[in-house]
Amino acid sequence: MTESLRTLPKTVQLYGHTLTQLEPAQVLGMAERTTRNSVLTRLPLDFDGRYDAAIPQTLSVAISPVETDLDLLRDELSESTVRTFQQRSRQAADGNLTFLNRTIQFRSPDQPNWFDDRFDDYPLLWPLKLYAFEPLRWATLGFKDPQVAPDRVVEVFDQWMRDWADSIGIGQPGYLRNAWTPWAVSLRIQTLVRYLAWRTGGTQEGVSERLTEALAREIYRNSLFLTNHVEGDVGGNHLVENGLALLMAGLTFPENDSSWVSKGLSILGRTGAKQFLSDGGHYERSPMYHTIVTTRYVTACSVLAASNRTVPNWLTAMTRQAVAYLRYLCPPDKRIPLCNDAVFGQALPLADCLGYAAAAGFESNDRPAPAQSPASGESGYYWLDTDHGRLLVDGGPVGPPHLPGHSHNDMLSVLLWVDGHRVLTDTGVYDYASDERRQYVRSVAGHNTVQVGDTEPIEIGGKYLMGARTEPTVRHEKTEPAVFDGCYETASDASASYRHNRTIVAADDWWLVRDILGGPDTETEPSVSRLHFHPDIAVTVDESGPIRVSHRAATDDDPSLLSVYPLGTSDVRTTTTQYFPEFGVTQDRQTVELRSGPESGTTALGYLLAPGASGGDISGSSGDGAE
């Protein structure tokens, strides 16, 4: 960072640094989208007419590949998942639309106001989910066929489709930021193709020809649009959605436009080659997005196989590696770790996704090559197991420099499961709005790691800004005992200046976590190591002994689940912080803070995690200076 840039306000600095990390394709894509969204809409152009003229008069539809895949996927969903989809689709058909745990009641359920003013009070993601026709996806996954679905669900969603096709045009001012956002278009294509297969497949009789024609024409129109609006500006997981949508559209209209199949595969190929790391993890390093992207690649393999086409070897290899990494990442409670931008309820449940993958041919005994093992790969998530539970440490970079939107300041953070229960948690995400909650979930304070003073090791701002980066160097040995050693040093042009080394040893039924900090900031600022506990966990701090960790439902006579022995500090504090396990959901949880310093030289602190009945004499090691 130049001296002139240092003198600018922090937000301007962050914008400047973030822009310098963008790839040329992103910059060109942003310029193109801005031009289309703001300039072309002012010209006397008939966008709808042009797209409508490009739709063939007669569309030959092939639904068998998508129908086969839809049955395969639905059969692998848990009863709980199916019940959830059924309930949500019934509520939507009654006009109660709930996304992100926020509900809007439509006055006329079968003719929704697609641009309701109430959307302005909700995050942009809320209307985009409506424009993606997510309620139709719930119906196709919740009910085997329309004959077993409530009549009201079928009638309302059919009418939605007709109303949309008749009233939503292309090219209105701001169209690329609402109904025609390419990400929403991609999901809309995927959902409408499945809805078409659901409504017309199997033994269905008496389906309106007008409905079938409207669905086919709308899928075709959306696919024509997406072909011209592939999201090079956003990149990331959006490109995967673009690629799968075009592939599914091409398989649905094999006699009309086979180029969509090749284009979809091309996008999936070059995107997967770039976004899947050598160990199979997705480069945004979010378990939620990894699950979503893996599901899309499984679908691509499944629909191609069902269409009697050859599945490219590269696609099979990418998908197998991604599925293997998802299995590796699976915690004891079978729910994704909430690292980086991740919440429950957006991706398929982890167990359902793995079941779908197995049904599609990606068996549980598939393992990556030893050189590409997730336990030694570049995604950076490492398990340290004991007889008592599993500890996951984040030893990787925060995310791709050109795509900082889903990255958090979580270097060397840990999560913990004891006896199958989630004990130490990450923070999750409330939403993607630029506010204090967003800043908190991305900050170092929202993770189970060490903060020096009030600064961030990597500066962050708003929804997506991120400053000068650093990343840990890691050593992980699966020996007995198992050892993890990670270290990072803040970048030379960052506002903070210190070095953080974290060593974790796991053996028998305990974990030892030791942090050593050094550098100018540690000599002038205090350091704090945070432990964020799951809302179901109760924490009791006893000045004369270890920190007692137990289930909230436990009685005084029940043994504690875990004991935490602070090392290197006697300044132990508890506070209440917020936990966001789903979009729009807030829960209180207890957080323990271990404070130390400032000190000259190096600062050493840490903690021992052990079963409640263990520890013996080590409770006396919590004083200052303990090693």
Side-chain angles (χ1 to χ4, degrees):
M1 187 181 298
T2 64
E3 288 301 320
S4 59
L5 190 56
R6 287 178 185 273
T7 63
L8 296 173
K10 180 177 291 187
T11 300
V12 177
Q13 293 181 33
L14 286 174
Y15 267 109
H17 187 276
T18 301
L19 287 172
T20 63
Q21 302 302 308
L22 297 179
E23 296 181 335
Q26 289 177 285
V27 177
L28 291 174
M30 290 177 184
E32 181 180 5
R33 178 182 285 205
T34 300
T35 300
R36 283 175 165 171
N37 209 42
S38 302
V39 178
L40 294 184
T41 55
R42 299 177 183 178
L43 301 178
L45 299 175
D46 183 4
F47 289 94
D48 274 321
R50 294 188 177 201
Y51 279 106
D52 287 342
I55 301 175
Q57 289 296 317
T58 302
L59 287 172
S60 176
V61 176
I63 62 168
S64 178
V66 173
E67 184 182 12
T68 299
D69 171 69
L70 183 57
D71 290 340
L72 186 76
L73 170 56
R74 191 190 301 109
D75 287 346
E76 297 304 320
L77 300 180
S78 68
E79 291 183 7
S80 173
T81 302
V82 170
R83 284 196 303 271
T84 297
F85 287 150
Q86 290 178 350
Q87 180 183 22
R88 289 177 178 175
S89 61
R90 289 191 186 99
Q91 291 171 341
D94 288 336
N96 292 297
L97 267 292
T98 301
F99 306 119
L100 316 181
N101 289 290
R102 297 169 169 90
T103 301
I104 286 180
Q105 170 70 53
F106 282 150
R107 299 174 182 86
S108 178
D110 55 349
Q111 290 185 315
N113 180 354
W114 299 107
F115 302 103
D116 197 305
D117 291 341
R118 291 173 292 177
F119 297 168
D120 296 339
D121 298 327
Y122 285 177
L124 176 61
L125 187 57
W126 200 102
L128 291 184
K129 283 180 168 290
L130 175 62
Y131 303 146
F133 284 125
E134 187 155 317
L136 275 65
R137 182 178 72 89
W138 298 336
T140 62
L141 294 178
F143 300 100
K144 184 175 182 180
D145 59 55
Q147 293 177 343
V148 299
D151 291 343
R152 178 68 175 165
V153 168
V154 178
E155 292 168 1
V156 169
F157 292 166
D158 283 357
Q159 181 56 34
W160 278 18
M161 186 58 250
R162 298 187 190 97
D163 185 74
W164 177 276
D166 291 341
S167 60
I168 305 301
I170 303 173
Q172 301 300 313
Y175 72 112
L176 289 174
R177 293 298 183 187
N178 50 57
W180 293 95
T181 300
W183 176 81
V185 173
S186 297
L187 295 180
R188 187 158 69 234
I189 292 169
Q190 295 173 38
T191 294
L192 291 183
V193 167
R194 283 182 167 141
Y195 192 76
L196 176 63
W198 185 72
R199 286 292 282 118
T200 62
T203 60
Q204 302 301 312
E205 296 180 357
V207 180
S208 164
E209 184 176 335
R210 178 170 176 259
L211 172 67
T212 303
E213 181 181 351
L215 275 166
R217 289 183 62 82
E218 192 62 23
I219 293 167
Y220 204 96
R221 181 170 71 136
N222 278 259
S223 303
L224 287 171
F225 177 89
L226 182 60
T227 302
N228 297 328
H229 294 83
V230 173
E231 294 179 275
D233 54 335
V234 178
N237 60 83
H238 287 216
L239 285 171
V240 176
E241 305 291 6
N242 299 165
L244 178 61
L246 290 173
L247 172 62
M248 293 177 72
L251 294 176
T252 302
F253 305 108
E255 297 181 13
N256 294 99
D257 202 329
S258 60
S259 66
W260 287 341
V261 171
S262 58
K263 183 162 187 174
L265 284 173
S266 176
I267 294 171
L268 291 172
R270 63 177 184 266
T271 298
K274 179 178 181 179
Q275 295 189 12
F276 285 125
L277 303 174
S278 62
D279 56 13
H282 186 251
Y283 75 161
E284 291 185 86
R285 293 178 171 84
S286 156
M288 179 181 80
Y289 284 110
H290 180 83
T291 305
I292 291 172
V293 167
T294 299
T295 304
R296 302 300 186 254
Y297 274 80
V298 171
T299 298
C301 293
S302 176
V303 294
L304 281 169
S307 66
N308 295 319
R309 294 173 181 250
T310 300
V311 182
N313 290 335
W314 59 262
L315 180 59
T316 301
M318 282 181 186
T319 308
R320 178 174 291 113
Q321 190 83 347
V323 171
Y325 191 84
L326 189 60
R327 288 197 182 96
Y328 165 80
L329 203 57
C330 183
D333 61 357
K334 310 299 183 185
R335 307 188 78 188
I336 58 171
L338 300 186
C339 301
N340 283 316
D341 276 354
V343 292
F344 302 130
Q346 297 304 303
L348 277 181
L350 194 153
D352 293 355
C353 180
L354 291 177
Y356 174 43
F362 299 96
E363 302 294 340
S364 59
N365 58 0
D366 286 343
R367 291 290 183 269
Q372 298 173 320
S373 169
S376 59
E378 59 181 315
S379 294
Y381 291 112
Y382 302 89
W383 287 107
L384 287 93
D385 299 343
T386 73
D387 297 338
H388 202 48
R390 306 193 75 191
L391 182 145
L392 182 68
V393 57
D394 185 349
V398 298
H402 70 282
L403 203 67
H406 297 304
S407 299
H408 291 203
N409 250 332
D410 57 359
M411 292 179 293
L412 308 183
S413 182
V414 298
L415 305 180
L416 180 66
W417 288 257
V418 175
D419 294 339
H421 299 284
R422 204 164 284 227
V423 176
L424 292 178
T425 67
D426 219 312
T427 297
V429 182
Y430 186 80
D431 59 30
Y432 292 150
S434 182
D435 55 21
E436 291 183 1
R437 285 194 181 105
R438 182 67 179 151
Q439 191 77 2
Y440 170 63
V441 301
R442 299 184 69 203
S443 72
V444 66
H447 303 91
N448 299 314
T449 186
V450 178
Q451 182 173 20
V452 176
D454 296 324
T455 60
E456 301 287 338
I458 303 174
E459 287 187 283
I460 55 176
K463 292 187 291 187
Y464 62 88
L465 300 178
M466 185 162 274
R469 296 188 173 211
T470 183
E471 62 183 69
T473 56
V474 169
R475 177 176 64 91
H476 180 225
E477 297 181 1
K478 298 184 68 174
T479 53
E480 186 59 43
V483 177
F484 169 88
D485 189 75
C487 180
Y488 69 87
E489 188 168 357
T490 56
S492 59
D493 52 354
S495 60
S497 180
Y498 64 87
R499 181 182 65 260
H500 176 200
N501 178 273
R502 169 163 278 189
T503 300
I504 305 173
V505 180
D508 298 327
D509 56 3
W510 52 264
W511 298 266
L512 174 66
V513 180
R514 187 167 185 264
D515 296 295
I516 297 178
L517 301 124
D521 283 13
T522 62
E523 298 187 1
T524 59
E525 300 289 342
S527 302
V528 55
S529 177
R530 294 183 177 89
L531 296 172
H532 300 284
F533 290 89
H534 190 275
D536 291 341
I537 298 298
V539 177
T540 304
V541 176
D542 186 344
E543 294 182 1
S544 61
I547 300 168
R548 185 174 184 268
V549 178
S550 59
H551 294 291
R552 289 196 179 276
T555 66
D556 292 339
D557 295 332
D558 292 331
S560 59
L561 185 67
L562 185 74
S563 293
V564 182
Y565 298 87
L567 305 173
T569 180
S570 58
D571 188 352
V572 179
R573 308 178 189 182
T574 60
T575 185
T576 299
T577 60
Q578 291 185 315
Y579 177 56
F580 311 115
E582 299 180 25
F583 284 135
V585 173
T586 301
Q587 296 179 352
D588 288 339
R589 61 180 176 181
Q590 286 182 272
T591 295
V592 171
E593 296 182 347
L594 310 179
R595 294 179 173 267
S596 182
E599 298 178 6
S600 60
T602 60
T603 300
L605 71 162
Y607 45 89
L608 179 77
L609 305 171
S614 299
D617 296 335
I618 66 173
S619 61
S621 65
S622 61
D624 292 337
E627 293 295 326

